[in-house]
Amino acid sequence: MKIIDGKAVSEELKNSMKQDVLEYKQKFERVPHLAAILVGDNPASKAYVSNKVKSCDQVGFKSSVITLPEDISEDDLISEIEKLNADKDIDGFIVQLPLPKHISEVRVTLAIDHKKDVDGFHPINFGRMAQGLPCYLPATPYGITMLLDRYNIETAGKHVVVVGRSNIVGTPISILLSRKSKIGDATVTLTHSKTKNLHYIVQQADIVIAAIGIPGFVTADMIKDGAVVIDVGINRVEDDQLTSGSKLVGDVDYEGVSKKSSFITPVPGGVGPMTVMGLIMNTFKAAQKTIYS
Ligand SMILES: NC(=O)c1ccc[n+]([C@@H]2O[C@H](COP(=O)([O-])OP(=O)(O)OC[C@H]3O[C@@H](n4cnc5c(N)ncnc54)[C@H](OP(=O)(O)O)[C@@H]3O)[C@@H](O)[C@H]2O)c1
């Protein structure tokens, strides 16, 4: 069994991005600029945003965080988004999810200028992705494809089973891997909470991608010998043995599954760092205007 080390791959990619940013700076006398809107006090969201800021610093991007109160109205949040849409110094921005319950994530996503939508959530980017047109790929699926590429994991003709059909992970990765492309050409089964015989379907997979949000959901008995296992889940669970009282685990029972898989991503240190890398790559494309002028 080989561990797919997302942390190491993201460090390699950051080092090469650092060079690209230096060249960009010489040519344009500015650096790429990523902004993030953070609404409320959710500790996980705060940690994700601070990770993104740290990664921007590491590669030489400028970053800005706009912190807004939990009780901000939807209209006021949209006004903040419109300011960022109009700000010529900002190449791309994200609105950290989840948002407070009174705010519509759909309305917020639609309000972001798709040319600055470096999370790749806007329907224009999503639709272009589905048709194989240049676009900002959603950051997590983008990160997964970079990992598969880096570890030379063949996807053509393979059976991929994706567990979970969210708009940000399960559905887009199933589209990406079934497209006619280098990291693609797979036969993909997209499963969800209404899927019948899920155990049996996962057992048929050459590559399993778990994005459910239930700790340890995918167990060793569901995995074919030699399968590749990509664990997207990030779940905080209690652990009395640790002074912090809790730890992060994935959607895969790592202990059991790693004994049967050929490749597996750990949590933390697998898909997570590559999601940030996807965002960085998209922001660089936005600054270079490679996708939209
Ligand atoms: N590593 C990263 O960078 C990263 C990025 C994003 C998310 N995540 C993590 O990934 C996990 C999933 O997040 P998400 O936003 O993609 O998911 P989500 O929006 O919460 O959706 C969960 C999906 O899992 C399905 N599901 C739930 N219970 C199931 C069951 N018993 N059997 C089969 N499918 C089931 C749901 O089915 P229905 O559609 O039928 O309800 C849904 O499609 C979370 O732990 C999240 O924290 C990690």
Side-chain angles (χ1 to χ4, degrees):
M1 181 274 300
K2 207 164 172 189
I3 294 173
I4 298 179
D5 189 343
K7 192 163 187 295
V9 176
S10 79
E11 291 306 320
E12 278 169 25
L13 291 170
K14 275 183 201 161
N15 282 331
S16 115
M17 176 62 77
K18 238 193 255 179
Q19 288 309 313
D20 294 341
V21 173
L22 286 177
E23 283 167 29
Y24 176 93
K25 190 175 176 185
Q26 272 184 346
K27 198 164 160 194
F28 297 104
E29 295 177 346
R30 68 183 292 275
V31 294
H33 185 179
L34 172 71
I37 294 183
L38 175 63
V39 181
D41 281 325
N42 180 328
S45 294
K46 276 177 156 173
Y48 291 139
V49 168
S50 94
N51 243 330
K52 288 165 188 172
V53 168
K54 199 172 129 204
S55 296
C56 283
D57 292 345
Q58 284 172 323
V59 298
F61 286 8
K62 181 175 168 186
S63 63
S64 309
V65 180
I66 296 94
T67 307
L68 301 170
E70 180 88 22
D71 61 356
I72 188 168
S73 71
E74 194 174 282
D75 285 344
D76 286 350
L77 174 57
I78 301 286
S79 304
E80 293 294 331
I81 290 172
E82 281 163 358
K83 279 187 215 158
L84 298 186
N85 283 341
D87 187 334
K88 288 203 163 41
D89 189 53
I90 289 172
D91 299 295
F93 67 96
I94 62 153
V95 178
Q96 184 64 47
L97 302 178
L99 290 168
K101 293 228 168 350
H102 66 280
I103 295 175
S104 154
E105 287 188 359
V106 173
R107 191 175 165 216
V108 165
T109 304
L110 287 170
I112 298 171
D113 179 351
H114 69 278
K115 295 181 180 176
K116 293 191 174 191
D117 165 44
V118 285
D119 249 342
F121 294 165
H122 194 286
I124 291 180
N125 282 309
F126 200 96
R128 290 175 68 98
M129 172 195 68
Q131 295 200 350
L133 297 171
C135 63
Y136 300 125
L137 295 177
T140 302
Y142 189 9
I144 295 171
T145 61
M146 285 192 271
L147 279 182
L148 294 170
D149 191 26
R150 172 66 180 70
Y151 281 84
N152 293 316
I153 294 168
E154 183 64 77
T155 53
K158 301 289 177 186
H159 184 198
V160 176
V161 174
V162 179
V163 192
R165 59 176 162 185
S166 71
N167 285 340
I168 61 169
V169 188
T171 296
I173 192 65
S174 72
I175 293 171
L176 278 177
L177 293 181
S178 55
R179 285 191 330 185
K180 205 179 179 87
S181 62
K182 186 180 167 223
I183 305 297
D185 284 332
T187 304
V188 180
T189 305
L190 178 59
T191 67
H192 45 78
S193 69
K194 305 288 185 292
T195 299
K196 295 224 174 2
N197 303 321
L198 184 67
H199 271 62
Y200 173 76
I201 294 169
V202 178
Q203 279 164 356
Q204 312 309 308
D206 302 307
I207 301 174
V208 178
I209 300 181
I212 319 149
I214 303 178
F217 181 87
V218 175
T219 46
D221 59 314
M222 296 166 81
I223 297 293
K224 179 166 88 176
D225 276 329
V228 174
V229 179
I230 307 291
D231 188 355
V232 182
I234 302 179
N235 310 291
R236 186 161 287 285
V237 296
E238 286 179 14
D239 186 338
D240 297 340
Q241 310 288 340
L242 300 173
T243 38
S244 63
S246 69
K247 64 176 180 185
L248 292 180
V249 298
D251 289 344
V252 172
D253 168 28
Y254 186 87
E255 262 310 291
V257 170
S258 58
K259 293 190 175 81
K260 289 180 88 179
S261 57
S262 55
F263 288 89
I264 188 166
T265 57
V267 177
V271 174
M274 294 303 293
T275 294
V276 183
M277 212 49 230
L279 183 65
I280 295 281
M281 298 289 209
N282 281 340
T283 306
F284 194 55
K285 286 179 189 162
Q288 290 176 303
K289 305 205 182 307
T290 4
I291 292 168
Y292 303 112
S293 56

